[in-house]
Amino acid sequence: MKKELFSRENHKEDTIIKIGNEEIIGNNKIMMIAGPCSVESEEQIIEIAKRVKESGANFLRGGAFKPRTSPYDFQGLKEEGLKLLTKAKEETGLKIVSEIVSIEDIELFDKYVDVIQIGARNMQNFDLLKKVSKLNKPIILKRGLCATIKEWLMAAEYILNEGNPNVILCERGIRTYETATRNTLDLSSIPVIKKLSHLPIIVDPSHAGGQKYLIEPLSKAAIAIGCDGLIIEVHNHPEKALSDGEQSLTPTMYNDLCQNIKPLINIMNKKI
Ligand code: PEP
Ligand code: MN
């Protein structure tokens, strides 16, 4: 049987992903992505971008198109949100990560976004995966809420099979019977992925834990088990956030987290 493109048997060395000449992940480089769940205003995104950059983040996240559970919840600023992210990039130099939810928006993402996020709800939206891969930008593929590791890797295969090798897997917790956490962070998926695949894998402790106090311990565990990066929600006023405020760190909390994970990053022989 043909070995899949994601497979370690097909490609022995870890994949290193670059933007231009710059290595962004792999080769012991930890990708630190931080920012609000949703872009809400110019003042909000610029302030957060400056603060997370000072703490050591190298990418700014921010949702402009939001896949919300309720149709009555804030759906994102759409193109305006992408423009505000671009302003924040101009001010700070941080590259942009944002989630695409529809094929219709592909040209906007080509124009404004450096790394495209496919959210958990769209992990198996195969048409979206195929079309997005054509942009040849790095893609963060989040694990589906109820997806097995095999299903997740096969979703990555759709992107690789279109000729885009720049896939970053993102473990963001899966749904279990537990209700004390928003999802259950499946830390075992990191060494499993490392065995089965050459693709880099990052962890999202924000959507896994769902509450502020869980973000730092989950981040430490993720680094210690060998992940290649962290995507963390940070908001300058979490209590007023239009989405995911409960799990959003303040910039000061994010700064502390960055300081506190440094020794672990060193022990793992990695660098930001
Ligand atoms: C997000 O990153 O804000 C998000 C919606 O994440 P997920 O797709 O993992 O739920
Ligand atoms: Mn969110």
Side-chain angles (χ1 to χ4, degrees), residues 194-214:
K194 292 283 174 198
K195 179 172 163 59
L196 297 179
S197 178
H198 50 87
L199 295 173
I201 176 167
I202 64 172
V203 167
D204 176 346
S206 308
H207 292 86
Q211 289 176 61
K212 291 180 184 59
Y213 80 96
L214 290 167

Side-chain angles (χ1 to χ4, degrees), residues 219-233:
S219 298
K220 288 176 173 164
I223 295 288
I225 208 165
C227 78
D228 302 295
L230 294 170
I231 178 166
I232 295 179
E233 288 186 338

Side-chain angles (χ1 to χ4, degrees), residues 36-38 61 66 68 99 117 142 182 204 206-207 233 243-244 247-248:
C37 181
S38 302
R61 66 151 286 154
K66 293 304 302 177
R68 302 303 301 281
E99 176 174 355
Q117 179 177 323
K142 288 191 140 193
R182 183 173 178 182
D204 176 346
S206 308
H207 292 86
E233 288 186 338
S243 59
D244 285 350
Q247 66 193 36
S248 298

Side-chain angles (χ1 to χ4, degrees), residues 24-128:
I24 61 163
I25 193 165
N27 202 10
N28 296 325
K29 168 106 181 173
I30 296 278
M31 190 177 187
M32 288 292 282
I33 308 167
C37 181
S38 302
V39 182
E40 298 169 8
S41 70
E42 179 167 342
E43 175 272 326
Q44 175 236 23
I45 195 69
I46 304 265
E47 152 108 17
I48 296 170
K50 286 183 175 160
R51 296 287 305 274
V52 299
K53 164 125 194 203
E54 280 167 19
S55 302
N58 38 26
F59 283 80
L60 176 67
R61 66 151 286 154
F65 296 84
K66 293 304 302 177
R68 302 303 301 281
T69 300
S70 162
Y72 308 118
D73 288 340
F74 178 60
Q75 303 283 308
L77 295 179
K78 315 260 169 35
E79 183 171 4
E80 178 59 20
L82 296 181
K83 287 184 179 161
L84 294 178
L85 285 166
T86 305
K87 274 202 175 165
K89 177 180 175 175
E90 283 162 9
E91 292 253 349
T92 60
L94 290 175
K95 293 190 172 64
I96 302 303
V97 176
S98 200
E99 176 174 355
I100 190 165
V101 296
S102 163
I103 293 167
E104 277 173 32
D105 304 319
I106 218 131
E107 282 163 22
L108 290 176
F109 278 74
D110 194 21
K111 188 166 164 196
Y112 295 113
V113 175
D114 299 298
V115 176
I116 300 177
Q117 179 177 323
I118 302 275
R121 289 155 194 81
N122 275 312
M123 186 200 84
Q124 285 186 318
N125 185 339
F126 300 123
D127 224 33
L128 182 64

Side-chain angles (χ1 to χ4, degrees), residues 25 33 61 117-120 123 139-150 152-153 167-176 182-194 199-209 218-219 221-223 225-232:
I25 193 165
I33 308 167
R61 66 151 286 154
Q117 179 177 323
I118 302 275
M123 186 200 84
I139 297 173
I140 293 176
L141 180 64
K142 288 191 140 193
R143 183 176 184 177
L145 284 82
C146 298
T148 64
I149 292 172
K150 185 75 194 290
W152 185 19
L153 285 169
V167 179
I168 300 163
L169 299 167
C170 177
E171 169 62 57
R172 45 79 75 209
I174 48 176
R175 180 149 301 179
T176 67
R182 183 173 178 182
N183 290 286
T184 297
L185 180 57
D186 180 13
L187 282 170
S188 348
S189 75
I190 291 114
V192 173
I193 292 286
K194 292 283 174 198
L199 295 173
I201 176 167
I202 64 172
V203 167
D204 176 346
S206 308
H207 292 86
L218 294 182
S219 298
I223 295 288
I225 208 165
C227 78
D228 302 295
L230 294 170
I231 178 166
I232 295 179

Side-chain angles (χ1 to χ4, degrees), residues 5-16 197-198:
L5 297 168
F6 67 70
S7 151
R8 184 67 87 180
E9 286 165 57
N10 227 330
H11 187 290
K12 298 255 176 313
E13 302 298 314
D14 285 348
T15 283
I16 299 168
S197 178
H198 50 87

